[in-house]
Amino acid sequence: MIGSVHRSQVSQGPFPLAREGYALIATSAFATAVFAIMGLSVPAVFSLMVTFFLGFFFRDPERIIPNENGVVVSPADGRVVDVDIVQGGHFAPEKMLKISIFMSLLNVHVNRIPFEGKVTEIFYHPGKFFPANRDKASADNERNVICMEMDGGRKLVVVQIAGLIARRIVCRVCKGDYLMRGERFGIICFGSRLDVYLPPDTRPAVVVGDKVRAGTSAIGYVT
C-alpha cells in the first residue's frame, strides 16, 4: 500500500521525449519531407515509419513516484529476469540482492534511480553484445556501473547493460550527485538490461516474469 506519491521532477511538456532522440527524430522527419517533395513515395513512407518508431522509442512519460518509506522502485520498464542473492563483485565485496530487468524494443528506455542516495563511483566496462535477457550479459556485455550510498551508508549499485541491438549507453549523472528516488538518470538505445544490487536484507517485491515500470513499480523494500 503506497502511503503517498510525488511526480517525477522534470516536466516533459505535451510531447514527452528523451532529449537523446531529438536529433534522430528530426533527421528522419527531414528525410521524409525530402523524399515526399521528390515524389519518392516508397522511401518517404519507409522514412515516415522510421520517424514514428523513433518517436515511440524515445518517449519519456511522466511517472507517479511512490514515496513510501523504504520502497525501492524499478529503474526500468520491462520484465524481471533474475532475483537472487549474489556476490556484489568488485564494486561490493559483500553479498547483495540482485534484481535484473530486461527491456525490449517496445519498452520505455529512460532509466530512473531506484532509491535516493549519493553517487560515489561511476565506471564504464567495454564488453560484448550478447542478448540482454541472458544471464551472462551481466558479466560479459558492455555496461556502465553507478555506485551509490544510501542514507546510513548502505550501498546501492545500478548497472546499465547494452544488449544485442543496444550500442549506446547514456548516463546523465556524475560522481557526487545526490539523486532522488524516481529521478531520470540515463537511457540505453535500443533494447537492453538494468541490474540493481541492493543490501541482502532487502525484501524483494517482485519475482521472475513480473512486468515493471520505471519509477512506479516497487521492486523491493529496504529495512
Side-chain angles (χ1 to χ4, degrees):
M1 182 75 176
I2 294 174
S4 58
V5 297
H6 66 87
R7 290 190 180 274
S8 49
Q9 290 82 352
V10 181
S11 176
Q12 297 294 291
F15 301 103
L17 296 172
R19 59 179 178 264
E20 289 79 11
Y22 291 170
L24 288 172
I25 295 168
T27 300
S28 183
F30 177 76
T32 301
V34 170
F35 288 139
I37 291 170
M38 295 175 63
L40 301 174
S41 58
V42 173
V45 170
F46 177 77
S47 184
L48 181 63
M49 292 172 63
V50 170
T51 303
F52 278 119
F53 169 75
L54 291 172
F56 173 78
F57 180 85
F58 284 104
R59 68 197 186 280
D60 184 11
E62 289 289 349
R63 294 287 166 84
I64 302 297
I65 313 300
N67 203 28
E68 183 181 0
N69 288 338
V71 66
V72 181
V73 299
S74 177
D77 284 28
R79 176 171 55 88
V80 177
V81 293
D82 191 22
V83 180
D84 198 8
I85 297 291
V86 299
Q87 287 296 137
H90 59 277
F91 46 76
E94 67 272 20
K95 289 186 176 181
M96 302 188 79
L97 172 66
K98 175 187 175 185
I99 299 177
S100 300
I101 298 151
F102 170 70
M103 295 178 284
S104 76
L105 280 173
L106 300 180
N107 291 125
V108 173
H109 274 59
V110 174
N111 307 143
R112 292 176 179 263
I113 291 296
F115 200 86
E116 59 267 20
K118 182 179 180 179
V119 178
T120 56
E121 294 288 343
I122 299 177
F123 42 94
Y124 163 79
H125 289 273
K128 302 183 184 300
F129 296 95
F130 293 120
N133 58 344
R134 295 184 182 177
D135 289 340
K136 64 180 180 179
S138 292
D140 295 339
N141 280 21
E142 176 181 304
R143 58 200 181 276
N144 186 62
V145 181
I146 302 169
C147 298
M148 298 178 63
E149 185 177 281
M150 300 184 290
D151 293 342
R154 310 190 80 188
K155 290 183 178 179
L156 162 69
V157 181
V158 184
V159 187
Q160 298 170 288
I161 302 172
L164 182 64
I165 301 174
R167 300 292 162 133
R168 184 184 177 205
I169 297 174
V170 177
C171 179
R172 304 173 183 167
V173 300
C174 301
K175 182 178 178 179
D177 288 350
Y178 190 90
L179 306 173
M180 300 304 295
R181 174 172 41 207
E183 185 173 348
R184 299 170 176 89
F185 74 89
I187 189 171
I188 313 175
C189 314
F190 294 83
S192 41
R193 174 183 178 127
L194 264 287
D195 287 350
V196 182
Y197 294 84
L198 297 156
D201 59 351
T202 301
R203 176 166 57 89
V206 292
V207 296
V208 172
D210 282 353
K211 301 290 182 65
V212 291
R213 299 177 72 213
T216 298
S217 301
I219 61 171
Y221 293 87
V222 295
T223 56

